[in-house]
Amino acid sequence: LFPCSDVDLLLLFESERLALASREAISAFLQRLWDSGLRISQSVRTPAECLTVHADNPELNISLLDQRFLAGDRKLYDQLAARLPRFLQANRDPLVRNLAKLARERHAKYGDTFYHLEPDVKETPGGLRDYQLVCWLEQLRDGVPPNPELELQDAFAFLAKARGYLHTAARRDQNVLNFEAQDALAEEAHEGDAGRWMRGYYRHARAVFRAAIRRIESTEAQSSSLFAQFRDRR
């Protein structure tokens, strides 16, 4: 987590009935978290709801790729964790399509380029969201935790440091790499000037963006090929 990023929290209940009966307790719990200074993005679900493809809310399914147990009923969590790999494998194609659609829409919003004078280190093409995309697509393809190549690991370290600085300086979830921040980061890195530091940013962003596009195109092509084979057999 970055200093001021929001916290995605899944509250898992055995049944919808139990979740409804716990509304007051849930509300009080979330209020305590907000009062402590955390920015919470919560979801209250049953295992069955988690293991359903949500075309209108693909973020819910994708968030499960990074899930981990925090506290509570370990047996209930284990029921979800045991069934999750099979669900992801069985629904790989629609999940990949949803991921690709979200990524292409986000890229279009920023003109399908990583060259911006004041880029958003999270959302701009080649930013941290694209790095996550690469990891998610690898996980969906291989069914194991991703292991990005060294070039992407270096890019992540560079982008993460920049975002950490932006959050600390603004004391909020600020991700736009404005000119003032570029000067400060260049000075901290002993790069001499912001222009030189930004050349490093563009190099890393290009590597992440190209990797994201390759993953999208290869997974989409593989899905199309499998669909064509299935149609031919019919």
Side-chain angles (χ1 to χ4, degrees), residues 2 27 59 88 116:
F2 290 89
S27 179
E59 290 87 352
L88 295 174
H116 291 269

Side-chain angles (χ1 to χ4, degrees), residues 128-154:
L128 288 165
R129 185 65 78 191
D130 272 350
Y131 177 85
Q132 284 183 312
L133 174 69
V134 170
C135 293
W136 288 332
L137 290 175
E138 281 191 4
Q139 191 170 346
L140 285 171
R141 181 193 65 193
D142 301 332
V144 296
N147 183 29
E149 53 263 37
L150 184 59
E151 183 181 33
L152 294 186
Q153 294 179 29
D154 290 342

Side-chain angles (χ1 to χ4, degrees), residues 61-73:
N61 294 127
I62 300 309
S63 66
L64 292 174
L65 292 171
D66 297 325
Q67 54 76 31
R68 66 185 188 275
F69 177 77
L70 294 178
D73 186 342

Side-chain angles (χ1 to χ4, degrees), residues 147-224:
N147 183 29
E149 53 263 37
L150 184 59
E151 183 181 33
L152 294 186
Q153 294 179 29
D154 290 342
F156 172 79
F158 184 96
L159 295 169
K161 183 175 182 179
R163 191 183 185 202
Y165 169 83
L166 292 171
H167 282 203
T168 303
R171 296 183 179 179
R172 61 185 178 87
D173 189 8
Q174 149 69 359
N175 300 303
V176 175
L177 195 56
N178 55 35
F179 295 128
E180 182 180 354
Q182 293 172 26
D183 288 333
L185 284 163
E187 182 177 354
E188 183 178 314
H190 305 291
E191 290 286 355
D193 61 77
R196 182 176 177 182
W197 187 88
M198 284 300 292
R199 286 194 290 275
Y201 167 84
Y202 292 130
R203 182 178 71 255
H204 290 303
R206 179 175 61 245
V208 174
F209 182 52
R210 287 178 175 176
I213 294 299
R214 286 198 304 269
R215 298 302 194 284
I216 291 174
E217 291 178 346
S218 64
T219 50
E220 286 182 331
Q222 186 176 6
S223 296
S224 298

Side-chain angles (χ1 to χ4, degrees), residues 112-125:
D112 291 302
T113 180
F114 54 86
Y115 282 115
H116 291 269
L117 294 178
E118 295 183 305
D120 185 311
V121 297
K122 179 182 178 183
E123 300 291 344
T124 299

